[in-house]
Amino acid sequence: MSDKPWGGRFTEPTSKIVERYTGSVRFDQALYAQDIAGSKAHARMLAKQGVISQDEARKIVGGLDIILNDIHEGRFVWKDELEDVHMNIEARLTEMIGDAGRKLHTGRSRNDQVCLDFRLFVSARLEVWSELLAALVKVLSERAEEHVETILPGYTHMQPAQPVSLGHHLLAYAWMFKRDHERCQDALKRSAVSPLGAAALAGTTFPLDPKAVADELGLFGTFGNSLDAVSDRDFALEALFVGTTVMMHLSRLCEELIIWANPNFGYVALPDAYATGSSIMPQKKNPDVAELMRGKTGRVYGALFTLMTIMKGLPLAYNRDMQEDKEPFFDADRTVSDSLAIMAEMMKVMGFRPERMRQALKLGFLNATELADYLAAKGVPFREAHHVAGSAVALAEKSGRGLEELTLAELQGLCAQIGPDVAEILTYEAAMRRRNTSGGTSPERVKEQIGTLEGWLAGL
Ligand code: ARG
């Protein structure tokens, strides 16, 4: 005879290797708090509906609280032969309180139970990601405020393009992480929904009240179709997509920091706490944290693709394939959470080097557009103005100077319309200040963005 909770019809024991292959308690024990919360809500609802007695519900809830505490304190003994978190907890409960424990699973299947647990877990993590994202937006906005007037080259094609405010550059990331926060909150609307009451797949003959369970657990609502309820993993996919987008944004920022930390750029001095040395080259200070974060992005992409692939061929309703949904999510969650926390800490203490940024402005002729625009504003056709500015770059480059270091006579030699007022136009400050369109890099507009983001943070 089988000793499994489902072993009624079985006469032989499960093979050991199959037990290991099919078992999930190694990893799904991470869902214990959600499993217990779901079971308590289910038991209370069963009693309210008259399916079990109030006394039985009290015993179940009391027993589950003791188990919760035992797990917290590391006293709970997990048994592989009990397969998963659900059966481990239920078996222990029955050991403790007898028959009442055996009634807990009335009107419920592990199919709706595991989905509820996972939904509660994913939803809680989306809330945590949201908080971490908001904290990162705050740090970026604070650092941006310090550097509204700091100027560095803005790039297109990774070639120096036009001067931008460092604050503006940092805020570009703040906006990305704000959108990620919004994505988390939107995904929550669909993840924080209860599937309990779908039972194995078709609903149940017991007079359950799924809404009472959802309310007790603080969820937004219940399922509309029992088959869909037990076989839907969209909520996890959406969360993983949000996770991949967060990592993609972090990875771009990391890439930027790695480039900026290269001595040829030198725009940042990495804080010692976030860099490492080389065991052979004494001069090295490597941006390992940023590199690893860029690398770990691949794990989260992998998790999304794993689950997409698991789901694509599944007929309705529950299939055991879906047990494979958890480990990729757990791994992705650790990566996303840790990366967000570390990035916020690292950006808080990142050492920016405005003097190196200024040198790069000069080398890159980042005021060439200003000269062209200046001439165009004087009525020189833009194509011709562009050409004149290009010749000015060539002239300055030959003598190792910036455009602003050419004499007025030299400039007038290229185009008679150039007047003494060009000097002001060619300053990097003017280039930045004059890009004053909404969302642009002028200090006024950057401060406006900081105001918007701070208002958003205050309203959370
Ligand atoms: N460990 C399973 C999972 O994670 C729980 C549900 C099992 N259901 C079943 N009918 N075997 O998906």
Side-chain angles (χ1 to χ4, degrees), residues 41-93:
H42 183 66
R44 289 197 182 104
M45 180 275 293
L46 288 176
K48 200 179 103 240
Q49 298 299 103
V51 179
I52 62 172
S53 72
Q54 289 293 349
D55 185 52
E56 286 165 335
R58 253 191 307 279
K59 281 194 187 129
I60 292 172
V61 170
L64 288 171
D65 279 335
I66 291 171
I67 293 174
L68 182 64
N69 201 43
D70 285 350
I71 300 174
H72 268 316
E73 316 219 310
R75 272 197 303 272
F76 190 85
V77 186
W78 297 100
K79 295 183 182 151
D80 284 343
E81 59 280 14
L82 286 173
E83 211 173 297
D84 56 26
V85 60
H86 323 295
M87 295 203 294
N88 266 270
I89 291 175
E90 195 187 311
R92 176 72 189 123
L93 181 69

Side-chain angles (χ1 to χ4, degrees), residues 181-347:
H181 183 286
E182 288 161 358
R183 270 185 271 273
C184 284
Q185 292 297 310
D186 189 61
L188 259 171
K189 288 184 212 151
R190 287 172 295 279
S191 69
V193 168
S194 175
L196 214 67
L201 74 164
T204 164
T205 55
F206 294 97
L208 302 191
D209 180 1
K211 183 156 180 320
V213 173
D215 288 346
E216 174 169 342
L217 294 171
L219 300 173
F220 297 132
T222 60
F223 60 97
N225 176 304
S226 63
L227 293 169
D228 182 38
V230 290
S231 62
D232 167 20
R233 293 293 181 275
D234 297 2
F235 65 95
L237 286 169
E238 281 192 61
L240 285 172
F241 173 73
V242 176
T244 61
T245 308
V246 168
M247 290 307 297
M248 178 267 291
H249 288 150
L250 286 171
S251 185
R252 293 182 68 179
L253 179 50
C254 287
E255 172 73 6
E256 207 118 57
L257 293 171
I258 291 163
I259 293 170
W260 289 5
N262 179 293
N264 291 331
F265 281 76
Y267 297 173
V268 292
L270 292 174
D272 282 354
Y274 299 92
T276 54
S278 157
S279 53
I280 176 166
M281 297 164 280
Q283 85 283 11
K284 296 267 273 183
K285 188 166 175 186
N286 296 328
D288 298 46
V289 174
E291 290 170 275
L292 265 173
M293 205 175 288
R294 187 176 59 180
K296 282 174 188 284
T297 301
R299 302 170 77 109
V300 182
Y301 286 16
L304 173 62
F305 239 76
T306 299
L307 188 53
M308 291 280 268
T309 310
I310 290 167
M311 295 307 295
K312 85 178 196 21
L314 299 189
L316 293 177
Y318 178 83
N319 298 272
R320 191 63 175 269
D321 314 47
M322 281 144 93
Q323 178 167 296
E324 291 289 309
D325 58 0
K326 290 168 207 65
E327 284 171 291
F329 185 82
F330 293 155
D331 186 73
D333 170 45
R334 255 190 307 276
T335 306
V336 170
S337 307
D338 287 352
S339 303
L340 282 170
I342 290 172
M343 182 56 89
E345 279 182 28
M346 183 162 75
M347 289 312 286

